[in-house]
Amino acid sequence: MLTLPTDPKLNLGNFKVKDMRILGIETSCDETGIAVYDELHGLMGHEIYSQIELHREYGGVVPELASRDHVHKTLPLINKTLVSAGIEKSSITGIAYTAGPGLMGALLSGASIGRSLAWSLGIPCTPIHHMEGHLLAPMIDDENISFPFLALLVSGGHTQLIAAHKLGEYELLGESIDDAIGEAFDKTAKMLGLPYPGGPEVAKLAEQGIANTYKFPRPMTDRPGLDFSYSGLKTFAINTFNATEKSEQDKANIALAFQTAAVDTLFIKCKRALKQTKLNQLVVAGGVSANQYLREKLGTLKQELSTNVHYPSKEYCTDNGAMIAYTGYLRLKHEHQQSLSFSTKARWPLTELHPPM
Ligand code: KG4
Ligand code: ZN
């Protein structure tokens, strides 16, 4: 990390704690997400540019292509967001950018644009943990969520159960010991010949599947603990597929059996974690939280354990700038980066975060 002196332009005395208006920049993977969150008006604008088409022919994200595209798209998307929100750049009081975890080059492009813009405007800037953004996304438009709660983070890189005690204080209760659930969805999709990203495609195909054609395992549910394993389930799907005639109906049946097993496993572990922690709110976030079967299955916890289950609205499930602007708003109320130096982290456990000072 390059260490530079405190920013001489940053006049924190002028930074009003009231009436905050935060620009959020998300560039950790294959989506450029920009948003403005205002203390009084809530989310004023948000735009997403997805690189899905760029990476589709490779069947997954190509990091160098992702970084270059963020460099091209971030500034125009900031301008577009400000225009559609009907606000001037000068009305922004702070900037939040994703600093990790994610693809290094992609993170650096958003971080350097965010920090430079903040410096030029003379306003504070704060680095945001991508998974904290996901975890808080349901709060953007649901006022009924309050700490402490149990969080289930399910994305392309994470499958985690977290006890969220307060902002910045997160206890890891369990996680996948191998593939993340989103990764298993994506790999199963690829094997079935479905395009990237595979999760929504598997879910769509599963609608045509005949229930109970195959019985897939529910990994690691027969032993105590809150960890997950998804690599075996993916292999089970591949082996099952190879033993079929590979018809469209076979594919749909496998998609359904995989999705049912993957989600049932989450359900079993969530129930266990709720009983263990005695928490009565469950917040589900990350790309896989868009899955309809997951929502239906976890919804039954309301009746079974009187647990209120919360999700982000569908547009904030996958990567977006709104969750970064909102998390930035919560953090910038208390803290800001005064130094001109910054770093990004490809790997960054959520448990390393601290509550804002
Ligand atoms: O949170 P996200 O946008 O990016 C990461 O931080 O990883 O999550 C992307 C993951 C991908 O694996 C994608 O296939 C999965 O979320 N996903 C879904 C659905 N929508 C997105 N998986 C299952 N069902 C869905 N409807
Ligand atoms: Zn994400």
Side-chain angles (χ1 to χ4, degrees), residues 14-15 27 60 68 90-91 102 132 134 183-184 196 204 206 215 273 285 287 290 306 308 315 318 329 340 352:
N14 287 343
F15 181 54
T27 63
R68 288 187 214 173
S90 55
S91 71
E132 185 176 46
H134 273 305
E183 190 181 352
Y196 156 87
K204 203 159 85 193
K215 178 79 183 147
S306 299
N308 289 318
E315 56 190 331
T318 44
Y329 155 69
L340 284 179
E352 281 182 9

Side-chain angles (χ1 to χ4, degrees), residues 3 8 12 19 97 102 104 152 156-157 163 174 196 201 230 277 289-290 300 309 322 348:
T3 304
L12 292 173
D19 209 9
Y97 61 90
M104 207 48 166
L152 174 68
Y196 156 87
E201 300 289 335
Y230 278 104
T277 58
S289 70
T300 64
V309 189
W348 187 7

Side-chain angles (χ1 to χ4, degrees), residues 26 28 130-131 134 155-156 286-287 317-320 323:
E26 155 63 35
S28 66
H130 180 78
M131 297 313 292
H134 273 305
S155 71
C317 285
T318 44
D319 294 349
N320 63 85
M323 66 186 197

Side-chain angles (χ1 to χ4, degrees), residues 96-154:
Y97 61 90
T98 304
L103 303 172
M104 207 48 166
L107 290 165
L108 275 170
S109 63
S112 41
I113 289 171
R115 294 300 296 266
S116 314
L117 197 56
W119 180 82
S120 71
L121 295 170
I123 56 175
C125 198
T126 194
I128 299 296
H129 191 294
H130 180 78
M131 297 313 292
E132 185 176 46
H134 273 305
L135 192 138
L136 301 178
M139 290 181 169
I140 295 174
D141 41 26
D142 185 348
E143 288 172 358
N144 297 315
I145 307 170
S146 56
F147 289 103
F149 55 80
L150 178 72
L152 174 68
L153 294 178
V154 278

